[in-house]
Amino acid sequence: MVDDERDGVRLTSLDAPLGDGLGVTKGDLVDHLDAFADRLVPQLAGRPLSVKRVRPGQDPFMQRNVAKGAPDWVRTVPVWSFGAHREVHQVLCDDRRTLLWLANQRAVEFHVPFFRAGAEAEPTGIVLDLDPPEGADFDVVVRAAELVRRALADAGLAGAVKTSGSKGVHVVVPVRGAGPEDAAAATRALAARAAALDPDLATTAYIREDRHGRVFLDSTRSGSSTIVAAYSPRIRPGLPVSAPVAWADLPAVRPGDVTVATAAERLGDGDPWTALLPDPQELPADLVAQGHTIPVARVAAMHEGRRRARAKRAEEG
């Protein structure tokens, strides 16, 4: 049954539950994405899109390859998937019509990389993803974010902050003139510098058991990885939204404050994320050089995990 049609897109089952335990309808999702289309689409346009979708009775799932039966006006770009070991065709969400089509597919989360399709491999930004320990108060995230802000300032850089829509925050730094490896290295160095400002509060330890109740400064989202876009909902009860926050307002923020039901009222008609983002900056050479001396977190964690497994086997044997 077709419940509505917007921009030529047939929207169905808008009054049906969006997914299990979310407490919202499909129409709530569609209305939010439509209301924020003018602010979401510029972040998504031209970038290979990954979406996280829901279906009643199923677990949420990440989708990179375009859904079968997509209209011929939905633009895609071929991208090699290292996980799937094959080429996939990812959607380019360049307009409101494509966003509405994705909403009708129950696409809730919108994740994009820091590069544009078909462009030179030059990242447009880097990000530190701050993840609090289980059960911690959000205040520890705020304090850790200030460490990142200080490390940025010490390096002559500036960033903008937004809630992740989950438990933590993202600190995003627009950049120019750096390749993917240098951008990733600079991110590792920033994380290390921020953690060094208060080692009892923050850590760069990728292995969870090594964090010991500290906020994890995740430097692995830069490079070819993705970040959830500002104004994107997250798949959690009530559909909280990744919301821009002024640095001065961060101490008063709590995760879940902004949802698809409250985003229009709380965020207004403007585009605070674009307003908060500084202009693209060149990465300092010393920051990049330091980062290249720091092992890639995932690789180091993999080797350390294997070493610990061997040591455990030897001890038990």
Side-chain angles (χ1 to χ4, degrees):
M1 175 180 175
V2 176
D3 292 332
D4 196 3
E5 184 170 319
R6 305 182 198 178
D7 207 358
V9 178
R10 301 168 71 241
L11 303 167
T12 59
S13 305
L14 296 182
D15 58 350
L18 178 65
D20 298 342
L22 296 177
V24 298
T25 66
K26 184 179 173 183
D28 293 328
L29 171 68
V30 170
D31 288 344
H32 169 80
L33 294 176
D34 197 9
F36 281 84
D38 59 337
R39 287 157 280 188
L40 256 173
V41 169
Q43 297 180 71
L44 310 179
R47 300 176 190 267
L49 180 65
S50 302
V51 295
K52 200 166 188 179
R53 295 173 58 193
V54 294
R55 289 175 180 156
Q58 296 184 21
D59 290 334
F61 60 99
M62 185 70 81
Q63 182 166 352
R64 294 178 176 84
N65 208 13
V66 65
K68 292 181 179 178
D72 56 11
W73 45 260
V74 172
R75 292 186 62 217
T76 63
V77 61
V79 177
W80 180 259
S81 171
F82 291 96
H85 305 291
R86 64 185 177 89
E87 189 177 77
V88 298
H89 290 80
Q90 293 184 240
V91 171
L92 298 176
C93 186
D94 293 340
D95 51 32
R96 172 177 177 248
R97 180 168 62 163
T98 303
L99 184 66
L100 288 170
W101 176 76
L102 289 164
N104 196 54
Q105 297 279 314
R106 298 177 189 260
V108 179
E109 299 186 6
F110 293 76
H111 298 252
V112 286
F114 283 106
F115 65 84
R116 295 183 177 89
E120 294 293 327
E122 185 174 298
T124 57
I126 61 175
V127 60
L128 282 178
D129 180 2
L130 279 58
D131 185 20
E134 195 66 36
D137 191 274
F138 189 69
D139 288 345
V140 299
V141 181
V142 175
R143 290 164 51 207
E146 285 297 335
L147 298 181
V148 174
R149 190 183 186 191
R150 283 171 54 192
L152 284 169
D154 291 344
L157 298 170
V161 63
K162 66 182 182 72
T163 64
S164 66
S166 179
K167 301 179 296 181
V169 299
H170 297 147
V171 180
V172 176
V173 184
V175 301
R176 57 183 170 84
E181 291 185 2
D182 284 351
T187 312
R188 295 194 296 274
L190 279 171
R193 291 184 183 187
L197 293 172
D198 190 344
D200 293 330
L201 172 64
T203 180
T204 61
Y206 192 80
I207 299 175
R208 190 176 296 273
E209 65 191 48
D210 292 345
R211 297 176 193 169
H212 305 298
R214 294 171 291 175
V215 177
F216 174 43
L217 308 184
D218 185 358
S219 62
T220 66
R221 310 311 303 169
S222 295
S224 60
S225 294
T226 62
I227 179 178
V228 71
Y231 313 117
S232 170
R234 303 302 301 271
I235 301 175
R236 284 165 180 78
L239 259 57
V241 169
S242 179
V245 185
W247 281 106
D249 297 335
L250 189 58
V253 168
R254 291 296 177 269
D257 279 352
V258 182
T259 69
V260 293
T262 65
E265 178 184 354
R266 285 183 171 268
L267 300 177
D269 296 329
D271 185 357
W273 184 236
T274 297
L276 291 170
L277 283 171
D279 291 334
Q281 303 146 89
E282 290 190 6
L283 292 168
D286 67 307
L287 190 71
V288 173
Q290 178 186 349
H292 280 298
T293 69
I294 301 172
V296 176
R298 285 195 180 96
V299 177
M302 179 184 66
H303 290 309
E304 177 61 15
R306 290 174 178 171
R307 186 196 67 78
R308 293 183 187 185
R310 288 195 300 268
K312 184 177 181 181
R313 288 195 299 267
E315 183 180 334
E316 292 172 347

